[in-house]
Amino acid sequence: MSANGLVVVPGAGGFIGGALVAALRPSGRRIRAVDVKPFEEWYQRFDDVENLSLDLNLKENCESVAEGASDIYNLAANMGGMGFIEHNKALCMLSVLINTHLLQAARKSGVARFFYASSACVYNGDKQKTFLPPSLKEEDAYPALAEDGYGWEKLFSERMCRHFREDFGLYTRVARFHNVYGPWGTWDGGREKAPAAICRKVIEAKVAGRHEIAIWGSGNQTRSFMFIDDCIEGIGRIMDSEILEPINLGSSEAVTINQLVDLAEEIAGIKLKRNYDLTAPKGVNGRNSDNTLIQKYLHWEPSTPLRVGLEKTYRWIYDQYLARERGEVRETAAGR
Ligand code: NAD
């Protein structure tokens, strides 16, 4: 990450924002980490950066956090896995306030560079009906038929970034993340995504000695999963690049949910009876990241094998789970 000056990370109490702050610290740049959550709920928090607990739905808060900033990486959104976004469409769409107010504040304070975290949920649902994973190219977002609620907000905010760049000359970069997973992220409580949820369910079964697992949908849905370290590297590369249009940032290693469960079972060293819940939220049937464009621009793409990243994630969730069972306070990286 080449620019100098103050870096602001909205959403720093969350999974990706926390990992980004951790990655930026060695650069020696001043960092302002912001999240609406109280500090004790942040996944990672560091005493050597400025930490603020503020609601960025409010314009005045966006203005105060953007003051003096050189770069803003907007990773704040009210979101979660399919279980959350299918049942909280209005809340997901209200994240439009965060990005809109941040863009306005960035313009007002003369911020040099602005990054926006979009999502594969912007892609046209009709192109994701087959279980054979269609590799989604950037152009497949149009004609628009995004994921209801969450996806439409992302698509709108992508365009807002584009228009702030075209009309006001603000340097904006947009990446469409495809399912990010790894340690220091949500693994229970209803907002967790498939890799963390499956690791937790396998751990629960192992610890309880009850060798069964509930799977949402038929298990034949295909997805790709990007390890957090690849996501952080990609964010930096895209921010530093000349890529003006929204670009995929995801792994192209597609697996079915059943294959994801196979991997988690292998890591845990157990086999489970699978109970499929066909009424549960399951999202689109198939989705994979087409990495032609990112390869063309950056000669790079996320490459951590799922087996490698999932093992690290499983071990971290296992420790969290046992700590919770023992009644210990959840581990955070506070003060590291
Ligand atoms: P996360 O939920 O762990 O982090 C988001 C953070 O934003 C949370 O800590 C939350 O408290 C904070 N936030 C929400 N509303 C806020 C407000 N009003 N003011 C200040 N902070 C607020 O999610 P994440 O996985 O770290 O996702 C980061 C970004 O990446 C989000 O924009 C998300 O939509 C996007 N994204 C993530 C994935 C993924 O697989 N994790 C996939 C696609 C896109």
Side-chain angles (χ1 to χ4, degrees):
M1 295 177 196
S2 62
N4 295 311
L6 174 67
V7 191
V8 177
V9 183
F15 168 43
I16 303 173
L20 181 64
V21 172
L24 285 165
R25 283 167 72 227
S27 71
R29 293 179 66 179
R30 269 182 63 218
I31 300 169
R32 181 176 289 156
V34 193
D35 204 287
V36 70
K37 292 192 291 199
F39 290 138
E40 61 275 15
E41 290 177 23
W42 291 27
Y43 288 112
Q44 304 198 65
R45 182 164 51 86
F46 304 96
D47 290 342
D48 57 357
V49 312
E50 180 187 358
N51 295 303
L52 299 171
S53 178
L54 286 175
D55 184 354
L56 297 176
N57 282 321
L58 304 179
K59 192 174 178 192
E60 58 271 27
N61 288 343
C62 290
E63 285 178 351
S64 70
V65 304
E67 214 171 281
S70 165
D71 291 356
I72 296 180
Y73 293 86
N74 178 17
L75 294 158
N78 202 344
M79 60 89 67
M82 279 317 297
F84 180 80
I85 67 176
E86 276 204 6
H87 295 119
N88 295 279
K89 297 188 177 106
L91 283 182
C92 288
M93 289 204 82
L94 280 170
S95 295
V96 75
L97 294 174
I98 304 175
N99 197 59
T100 306
H101 289 147
L102 280 173
L103 279 170
Q104 287 178 294
R107 180 178 176 225
K108 190 172 174 184
S109 19
V111 164
R113 311 192 304 172
F114 188 98
F115 178 90
Y116 176 63
S118 183
S119 163
C121 286
V122 300
Y123 283 112
N124 184 316
D126 280 348
K127 299 185 182 180
Q128 302 170 76
K129 286 190 164 161
T130 159
F131 286 100
L132 291 170
S135 287
L136 295 162
K137 290 188 193 313
E138 285 73 2
E139 67 204 36
D140 291 328
Y142 297 97
L145 186 57
E147 178 81 40
D148 200 6
Y150 177 72
W152 278 104
E153 188 279 321
K154 291 289 181 193
L155 198 61
F156 177 88
S157 290
E158 283 187 355
R159 298 183 75 89
M160 189 76 105
C161 288
R162 169 177 153 195
H163 296 309
F164 267 66
R165 179 173 54 75
E166 290 174 350
D167 296 356
F168 304 138
L170 183 68
Y171 179 115
T172 59
R173 298 291 181 266
V174 177
R176 291 179 181 154
F177 299 168
H178 290 244
N179 294 303
V180 192
Y181 72 99
W184 306 106
T186 310
W187 59 277
D188 68 349
R191 288 183 188 245
E192 63 277 18
K193 299 187 153 206
I198 285 169
C199 285
R200 190 203 67 233
K201 288 179 187 180
V202 170
I203 291 165
E204 282 167 352
K206 187 177 164 103
V207 171
R210 197 174 3 88
H211 287 188
E212 287 189 40
I213 185 168
I215 296 174
W216 288 7
S218 65
N220 296 321
Q221 313 95 290
T222 42
R223 294 288 185 281
S224 71
F225 300 99
M226 167 169 57
F227 190 55
I228 183 68
D229 293 3
D230 288 331
C231 178
I232 297 301
E233 182 170 356
I235 290 172
R237 286 172 177 265
I238 291 167
M239 183 65 135
D240 289 347
S241 77
E242 291 310 312
I243 306 170
L244 299 182
E245 66 259 54
I247 188 155
N248 281 336
L249 180 56
S251 163
S252 56
E253 180 191 350
V255 291
T256 64
I257 296 300
N258 277 324
Q259 287 169 329
L260 184 64
V261 178
D262 291 344
L263 286 177
E265 286 179 339
E266 191 186 308
I267 293 164
I270 53 171
K271 274 278 167 205
L272 304 173
K273 177 175 176 294
R274 300 179 186 189
N275 303 317
Y276 296 98
D277 180 356
L278 301 180
T279 63
K282 49 194 174 295
V284 295
N285 288 338
R287 169 183 293 168
N288 191 12
S289 179
D290 183 303
N291 286 347
T292 310
L293 204 60
I294 196 166
Q295 274 290 0
K296 182 182 135 203
Y297 280 117
L298 301 177
H299 312 292
W300 175 89
E301 66 180 291
S303 60
T304 305
L306 180 57
R307 177 67 173 76
V308 173
L310 198 68
E311 174 137 17
K312 292 181 182 169
T313 310
Y314 178 94
R315 305 264 167 247
W316 181 80
I317 295 174
Y318 190 80
D319 290 345
Q320 302 298 302
Y321 184 86
L322 290 191
R324 192 179 64 184
E325 292 293 287
R326 288 193 297 263
E328 293 168 12
V329 177
R330 190 180 68 182
E331 186 185 348
T332 74
R336 282 203 304 183

